[in-house]
Each structure stands twice: as C-alpha cells, then as structure tokens.
Amino acid sequence: MVLASTMWGLSSVFMKVALPGMPPFGIAFIRVLLSGLVLTPAALLRARGRTAPGVPVPGGRERIHLAVLAVTTVALPFCLTAWAQQHVEASLSAVLHATVPLWTLGFAVLLLGHRPGGRQLGAVAIGLIGVAVLAGLGSHDLTGCSWAGCLAVLAASACYGFGWTYMRRNLSHRQPLYIAAVIQVSALLVLLPLAAVTTDTGRVELTPVRIASLLALGVISTAGSELLNYRNVARLGPTTAALTAYLIPVVGVSAGICILREPLTARLLIGAAIVLGSVGLAVQRRDDREKPPDRHGRPKPAWAE
C-alpha cells in the first residue's frame, strides 16, 4: 500500500512536467499505452501454462463489467486529472486525491450494502470543508478555472472510489493482473479518438525531460500502481485498499515543492490536515470489542477488513 501510494502520488508531478509539450488527452493516451505495454505481456506470461479451475470463460456480462472499469478507473479519471493539471498545482491535485477513501465509503454503501455510522457521515461533512479550504473558498485568488480544476480532480477521485467498489462486487473471481491489463487495453479504444482529435502534432514539443516524465507516468505511476491497487482491492477489500490515498498528499506535496518549486501555503497545510483527518475518522474502528471475531474467537484486526 505504501509503494502504491508513492507511485500514484508522483503522477501529478510527471503530468505537470509533460503538459507543456503535449495536450491533456494526448498525455492520457500515452499513459495508458505505456501501461498496457507493461501489463499485457505480464498478464499473458502469468496465464501461460496455467489453468483457473472454477473460473468461467469471460462472457457478455463480464465484458460489460470490464468496459465499465476501463471507463471509470482509467479513461475518465486520467483525462480529468491531466486536464486539471493545467489549472491546479500538482501538490493541490495530490491532496484532493486523498478524498478517494471517502468516495469509496459512499459507493460501498450503495453497491455493497455497507452501513455507515454517524461518525463516518460526519467525516464526509468534514472532508467537504477541507476540500473547500483547499480550493480557496472565500479567498481573493479563487477563480473559475481553479474551481474547475478542483472539481475535475474530485470527479477523478470519485471514479476510483466507484471503480474499486464495482470491481469488488462483480469481478472478485478474476486475477488483479488480468483485470488491470484488460481495462488498460480497453481504455485505449476510448482515448485514441479523443487524443487524435485534440492533439496538434505540429505543437507537440517533447524534450528529454518530458519524455522521461511520460515514461515514468506510464510505467511507474500507472502500470505499477494499477497492479498494486487491484491486488490490494482483491486481497484487502475496496475500503482498506483506498487507504493508499493517505500517503498521496505527502508524496505529491513533497515532490511539488522539491521538484516543481511550488509554494507551501498555510491554506494547503490546513486543508490537507482537515481532509486527512476526515479520512482517518471515516475508516477508524471503534474498538476491538465491536469487531466480529475470527474463526478462533479472537477479535478481527482492522487490517483484515
């Protein structure tokens, strides 16, 4: 989970570096293409010579589920995040991604029948306050573009929360590597026409640094984090796996300040503290006595949820 958070947290910085040389949808397409080139051979190698007893051959319903994941966890959030980087700082984008556990909690209620308590509902309200602080609500530097960028990042975070919960409900019988590879390839079909229409090849300016950022974005921040995230969802459940968002602000803010020389403002610190506090409140267990016992009669630990 720590490694996945680090990989994911660096994605905002890599996109910020690459954006001057390529439009957002072009970056999203390259990101998915590179990720697919890594994940697809890995999935084929893993499946070679192996059988999966009890796992049915993919049918029409399963293909629909994979298509939904391709749109909601790859194509749409990647486009939204890349576009938002034009209007918000990389550090702010990383902090807003910390709302993923809150979105996951909400979709777990709708899709998995999870029943939130008053503490968790209060955490959602506190998280919204933190987002408002981060976006600059009431400050003189708040503009329509910054609001649009913040909303785009929040929408991308909501996509992840929905997709992880949706996968847990409908595709838990599939290997995480198989799912990650298939949805990357499927997302290319969505992103290819968007990238072709919006990319003017005459204005593409790729320097060695920008090329390196695109490679790192596709291979490290996408292929690596996607594989780890889906493995975590399969093994730990969507709510616990969403805790990878805890370290995203730490990585994103640190990288934004050290690499991009972005300013560290009081608003960013206060808003990040509020958002992270709300996330911690949302996933906090009351005490061991309220946890269901395991097969040996002992309280179930929080990490096993």
Side-chain angles (χ1 to χ4, degrees):
M1 289 175 63
V2 173
L3 184 58
S5 299
T6 303
M7 291 177 173
W8 192 0
L10 290 173
S11 63
S12 297
V13 175
F14 293 145
M15 278 186 284
K16 201 74 169 181
V17 173
L19 263 174
M22 182 173 289
F25 291 164
I27 289 179
F29 174 77
I30 295 296
R31 180 181 183 181
V32 176
L33 176 62
L34 293 173
S35 176
L37 290 176
V38 174
L39 294 176
T40 302
L44 292 175
L45 287 174
R46 183 177 179 85
R48 179 177 296 177
R50 296 189 179 186
T51 58
V55 178
V57 176
R61 183 180 295 274
E62 182 170 310
R63 293 191 182 97
I64 293 176
H65 294 325
L66 290 168
V68 170
L69 286 179
V71 173
T72 58
T73 64
V74 181
L76 186 55
F78 286 6
C79 288
L80 288 171
T81 304
W83 179 86
Q85 294 301 310
Q86 301 174 112
H87 307 289
V88 299
E89 296 175 344
S91 55
L92 174 58
S93 176
V95 172
L96 290 175
H97 273 304
T99 59
V100 169
L102 297 179
W103 293 109
T104 306
L105 174 63
F107 286 114
V109 173
L110 297 176
L111 300 180
L112 303 180
H114 175 71
R115 295 183 180 180
R119 183 185 67 257
Q120 293 174 320
L121 294 176
V124 173
I126 296 174
L128 293 176
I129 295 174
V131 169
V133 173
L134 288 169
L137 183 63
S139 64
H140 296 292
D141 60 341
L142 182 62
T143 63
C145 288
S146 66
W147 262 114
C150 290
L151 290 176
V153 177
L154 289 174
S157 301
C159 287
Y160 291 124
F162 170 81
W164 294 354
T165 309
Y166 187 89
M167 189 206 78
R168 177 73 174 194
R169 178 182 180 182
N170 299 292
L171 292 170
S172 59
H173 60 285
R174 288 295 177 186
Q175 289 292 329
L177 182 56
Y178 167 83
I179 297 175
V182 171
I183 65 175
Q184 294 292 319
V185 174
S186 301
L188 285 175
L189 302 178
V190 179
L191 293 174
L192 179 59
L194 293 175
V197 170
T198 59
T199 302
D200 184 357
T201 56
R203 296 184 178 182
V204 174
E205 300 178 359
L206 294 179
T207 64
V209 174
R210 291 169 184 169
I211 293 175
S213 295
L214 285 173
L215 290 173
L217 178 64
V219 176
I220 298 175
S221 293
T222 306
S225 65
E226 285 286 318
L227 176 57
L228 291 177
N229 277 331
Y230 278 99
R231 184 177 179 85
N232 289 339
V233 170
R235 297 182 65 181
L236 305 176
T239 303
T240 302
L243 297 183
T244 54
Y246 268 135
L247 291 180
I248 290 177
V250 178
V251 176
V253 171
S254 300
I257 294 171
C258 298
I259 299 176
L260 302 178
R261 298 293 188 268
E262 294 180 348
L264 180 61
T265 63
R267 188 183 74 192
L268 183 63
L269 291 175
I270 295 173
I274 296 175
V275 169
L276 292 177
S278 68
V279 172
L281 183 63
V283 299
Q284 181 183 8
R285 304 294 177 186
R286 288 190 179 92
D287 54 54
D288 287 343
R289 290 174 300 177
E290 296 188 17
K291 300 172 190 173
D294 62 12
R295 61 179 181 178
H296 301 296
R298 296 173 301 195
K300 192 175 183 181
W303 55 262
E305 293 295 321

